[in-house]
């Protein structure tokens, strides 16, 4: 089975969030099941600067782009049984960021990512590799499904191709002005509420939801939530209409990259049977953030985009009371200015209570998973969430809002039976967050049951093997020949 994966980011080449981890891992697990997986990714500047060994497989190709030809080429890289094809179009992708800067999204993102999907489909043709499945991710890849239907609908090359669109976050919709359709070579008639129009704009996300053969999202709970007005961002009606083709498949963890037994990014290694290395990691983390080591007081870690979705405003509101509980809080994040400003000011007021690093830093992220005792994920909504799964493996106990993938991966600890792997609270409010945290801090003081909880956490298994199997089953269902 040949699968073409379209993703706007992929670890370790370019990453801003969980999509990169998924695109970097799932294809490898699929290829181990015998699938032929090829991932298409834009050739960003940061990829170019990695000086990978690359083979130019398509040179000097051209896409007809609003009446004029725009050239591109395709570069190929082999890694772990997966072929990665980079779409090289310097004008669109040779920039020092993926999507935008602090000043905002790049104004030509509509053109950039539509071009990425068009050039990816053209590359499949140029290489004569008709895919059985085109699997696109998020709005940046969604125009592929509109092209497949309206531009390549009669093309025998794609006649047997089936398609799957995965939504990693429904809030990012790829909204552009009406004129974008003409500029990227899609029919103007799609500007209609039954097509891609979304309240006066064009929604790329709708192209995926409407035109892919099946749609999936990254946890069972989120797949149900997005069919309700509260979580649907205006698309819940459309998603309800497609509910028979809508699947929720939990993301997984690559325990090769995320494992305290082998992790080279942390100062000491440890496993469930011997946690002495975790104590070293904790001491080193506190030193790095200039915080005192207070025995008996837990360290609460956060690795997160600093965004409302992640409940950072709730953390800001609850912070003073949190610190009064006697915890130290360590935050690694990048994102929205008001949150950065608030946390920076709070850090000055509480130099021995709050540690803050405003950056995107893979090593510090690993240090926090390894060195913290508790891991806070207070998201307003969370399609899957990877950080709580990484924290579990590193014996840092998640305290999470019960939503989406957090609901599906964390079970409330029950001291009586010793079951559960974390703490959950229900409302996205400072009061509920503090209740959850108080329960966790209370348990932390009880050494015996805490040890049981840490064991449960570290034994939680969210390996990709199971989820890759679920994708494989779905691909098979899609390509099953129709009954005569
Ligand atoms: P999302 O994709 O919504 O941001 P996920 O939990 O699915 O959230 O994935 C977040 C990924 O990004 C994890 O791998 C996490 O470790 C990483 N991450 C988030 N913020 C940072 C940061 N500031 N520095 C390093 N890694 C980060």
């Amino acid at each position: 089975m040949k699968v073409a994966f379209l993703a706007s980011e992929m670890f370790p080449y370019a990453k801003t969030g969980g999509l990169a981890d998924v695109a970097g891992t799932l294809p490898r697990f699929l290829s181990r099941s015998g699938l032929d997986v090829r991932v298409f990714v834009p050739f960003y500047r940061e990829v170019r600067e990695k000086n990978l060994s690359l083979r130019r497989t398509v040179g000097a190709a051209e896409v007809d782009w609003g009446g004029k030809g725009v050239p591109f080429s395709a570069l190929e890289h082999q890694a772990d049984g997966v072929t990665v094809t980079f779409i090289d179009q310097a004008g669109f992708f040779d920039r020092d960021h993926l999507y935008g800067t602090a000043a905002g999204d790049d104004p030509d993102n509509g053109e950039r990512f539509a071009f990425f999907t068009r050039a990816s489909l053209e590359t499949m043709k140029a290489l004569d590799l008709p895919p059985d499945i085109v699997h696109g991710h998020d709005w940046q890849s969604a125009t592929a499904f509109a092209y497949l239907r309206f531009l390549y609908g009669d093309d025998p090359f794609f006649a047997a191709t089936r398609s799957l669109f995965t939504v990693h976050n429904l809030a990012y919709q790829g909204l552009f002005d009406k004129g974008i359709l003409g500029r990227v070579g899609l029919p103007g008639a799609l500007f209609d509420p039954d097509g891609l129009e979304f309240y006066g704009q064009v929604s790329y996300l709708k192209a995926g939801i409407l035109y892919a053969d099946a749609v999936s999202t990254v946890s069972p709970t989120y797949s149900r939530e997005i069919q309700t007005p509260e979580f649907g961002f205006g698309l819940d009606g459309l998603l309800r209409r497609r509910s028979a083709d809508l699947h929720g498949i939990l993301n997984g963890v690559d325990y090769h990259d995320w494992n305290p037994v082998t992790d080279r990014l942390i100062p000491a290694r440890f496993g469930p049977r011997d946690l002495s290395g975790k104590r070293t990691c904790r001491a080193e983390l506190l030193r790095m953030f200039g915080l005192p080591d207070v025995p008996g007081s837990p360290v609460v870690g956060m690795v997160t985009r600093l965004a409302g979705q992640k409940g950072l405003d709730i953390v800001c509101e609850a912070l003073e009371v949190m610190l009064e509980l006697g915890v130290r809080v360590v935050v690694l994040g990048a994102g929205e200015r008001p949150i950065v400003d608030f946390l920076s000011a709070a850090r000055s007021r509480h130099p021995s209570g709050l540690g803050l690093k405003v950056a995107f830093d893979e090593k510090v992220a690993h240090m926090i998973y390894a060195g913290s005792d508790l891991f806070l994920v207070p998201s307003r909504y969370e399609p899957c969430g990877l950080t709580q799964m990484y924290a579990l493996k590193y014996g840092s106990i998640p305290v999470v809002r019960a939503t989406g993938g957090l609901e599906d991966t964390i079970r409330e600890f029950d001291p009586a039976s010793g079951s559960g792997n974390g703490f959950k609270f229900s409302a996205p409010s400072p009061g509920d967050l503090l209740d959850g945290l108080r329960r966790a801090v209370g348990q932390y003081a009880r050494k015996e049951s805490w040890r049981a909880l840490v064991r449960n956490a570290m034994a939680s298994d969210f390996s990709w093997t199971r989820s890759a199997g679920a994708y494989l089953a779905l691909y098979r269902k899609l390509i099953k020949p129709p009954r005569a």
Side-chain angles (χ1 to χ4, degrees):
M1 194 192 301
K2 287 201 287 295
V3 180
F5 232 74
L6 270 63
S8 59
E9 50 185 272
M10 176 184 188
F11 185 80
Y13 311 107
K15 166 169 169 174
T16 72
L19 170 60
D21 289 357
V22 174
T25 317
L26 174 58
R28 260 193 284 141
F29 279 78
L30 290 169
S31 102
R32 281 179 213 160
S33 307
L35 276 67
D36 177 356
V37 190
R38 183 178 285 265
V39 189
F40 291 83
V41 186
F43 194 54
Y44 301 110
R45 180 174 301 167
E46 65 175 277
V47 182
R48 177 166 62 72
E49 287 172 349
K50 288 192 167 69
N51 290 318
L52 304 162
S53 121
L54 297 168
R55 199 162 62 90
R56 195 169 295 273
T57 48
V58 176
E62 224 176 60
V63 164
D64 175 23
W65 206 238
K68 75 175 174 31
V70 172
F72 74 95
S73 60
L75 302 162
E76 206 166 290
H77 180 63
Q78 299 291 336
D80 273 336
V82 175
T83 306
V84 186
T85 299
F86 294 107
I87 300 297
D88 184 8
Q89 210 306 317
F92 282 142
F93 303 121
D94 190 10
R95 303 183 184 179
D96 58 8
H97 51 263
L98 272 54
Y99 310 124
T101 61
D105 289 344
D106 284 6
D108 60 349
N109 274 352
E111 285 86 346
R112 294 173 74 213
F113 290 98
F115 186 89
F116 159 61
T117 66
R118 235 344 260 296
S120 299
L121 294 167
E122 284 298 318
T123 300
M124 296 170 209
K125 293 190 74 170
L127 298 176
D128 196 23
L129 290 168
D132 298 297
I133 297 283
V134 168
H135 185 174
H137 300 263
D138 279 350
W139 72 261
Q140 293 92 336
S141 301
T143 42
F145 305 100
Y147 289 131
L148 281 171
R149 172 153 316 189
F150 298 103
L151 208 69
Y152 300 101
D154 298 325
D155 190 331
F157 183 83
F158 289 112
T161 298
R162 298 292 174 268
S163 57
L164 173 63
F165 177 54
T166 298
V167 180
H168 295 257
N169 193 330
L170 197 68
Y172 297 88
Q173 305 201 340
L175 295 179
F176 304 101
D177 67 284
K178 178 180 176 181
I180 192 78
L181 292 170
R183 296 200 298 278
V184 303
L186 286 170
L190 292 181
F191 194 74
D192 181 278
D194 287 331
L196 301 188
E197 184 185 350
F198 187 73
Y199 300 101
Q201 288 182 290
V202 170
S203 158
Y204 277 16
L205 202 71
K206 275 185 90 180
I209 298 172
L210 279 171
Y211 305 133
D213 294 314
V215 179
S216 75
T217 184
V218 289
S219 70
T221 294
Y222 192 61
S223 77
R224 290 187 292 274
E225 287 173 340
I226 57 176
Q227 298 180 56
T228 66
E230 188 189 349
F231 293 93
F233 287 97
L235 293 170
D236 45 295
L238 181 58
L239 288 160
R240 281 196 300 277
R241 262 184 281 152
R242 289 227 64 187
S243 66
D245 304 313
L246 177 59
H247 306 262
I249 303 176
L250 199 67
N251 284 336
V253 177
D254 184 354
Y255 290 119
H256 184 75
D257 294 334
W258 298 99
N259 189 342
V261 177
T262 51
D263 194 333
R264 290 283 143 199
L265 294 175
I266 57 178
R269 271 138 299 283
F270 60 91
R273 288 216 200 93
D274 180 5
L275 289 167
S276 55
K278 185 165 176 78
R279 287 191 283 279
T280 309
C281 291
R282 184 183 193 270
E284 189 55 30
L285 178 69
L286 290 168
R287 199 193 55 74
M288 196 173 123
F289 278 87
L291 296 173
D293 196 347
V294 184
S297 118
V299 177
V300 181
M302 293 188 78
V303 178
T304 179
R305 284 186 288 116
L306 300 179
Q309 178 209 332
K310 299 289 182 181
L312 264 295
D313 52 325
I314 307 167
V315 173
C316 291
E317 243 183 279
L319 191 63
E320 300 289 330
V321 186
M322 259 163 87
L323 294 172
E324 281 166 21
L325 296 177
V327 302
R328 262 86 30 78
V329 182
V330 173
V331 182
L332 168 67
E336 294 167 13
R337 194 79 248 167
I339 301 173
V340 173
D341 291 345
F342 184 95
L343 290 175
S344 304
R347 159 96 186 129
S348 311
R349 286 197 307 278
H350 301 282
S352 56
L354 176 66
L356 173 68
K357 181 163 170 121
V358 180
F360 196 93
D361 190 322
E362 197 74 23
K363 181 175 159 52
V364 178
H366 282 245
M367 296 269 299
I368 293 181
Y369 294 118
S372 57
D373 303 298
L374 296 170
F375 196 86
L376 184 61
V377 194
S379 307
R380 292 180 180 284
Y381 66 92
E382 192 56 80
C384 175
L386 294 168
T387 62
Q388 81 282 8
M389 299 199 254
Y390 300 155
L392 285 169
K393 188 70 182 172
Y394 287 77
S396 177
I397 303 304
V399 179
V400 306
R401 156 121 203 270
T403 183
L406 299 169
E407 170 73 11
D408 293 338
T409 53
I410 303 303
R411 279 168 302 115
E412 177 81 16
F413 180 61
D414 173 15
S417 67
S419 69
N421 59 3
F423 300 90
K424 288 203 269 201
F425 56 90
S426 43
S429 69
D432 275 30
L433 183 156
L434 288 164
D435 280 349
L437 198 60
R438 273 193 203 99
R439 285 199 306 280
V441 172
Q443 282 305 321
Y444 184 76
R446 303 174 55 191
K447 288 297 163 210
E448 264 316 301
S449 60
W450 189 258
R451 263 194 290 275
L453 171 53
V454 170
R455 268 197 304 275
N456 294 351
M458 295 179 85
S460 305
D461 182 4
F462 296 105
S463 144
W464 265 112
T465 313
R466 188 181 16 190
S467 305
Y471 279 107
L472 181 55
L474 183 51
Y475 293 163
R476 286 210 175 107
K477 191 168 135 195
L478 288 173
I479 60 180
K480 202 168 69 179
R483 236 175 290 163

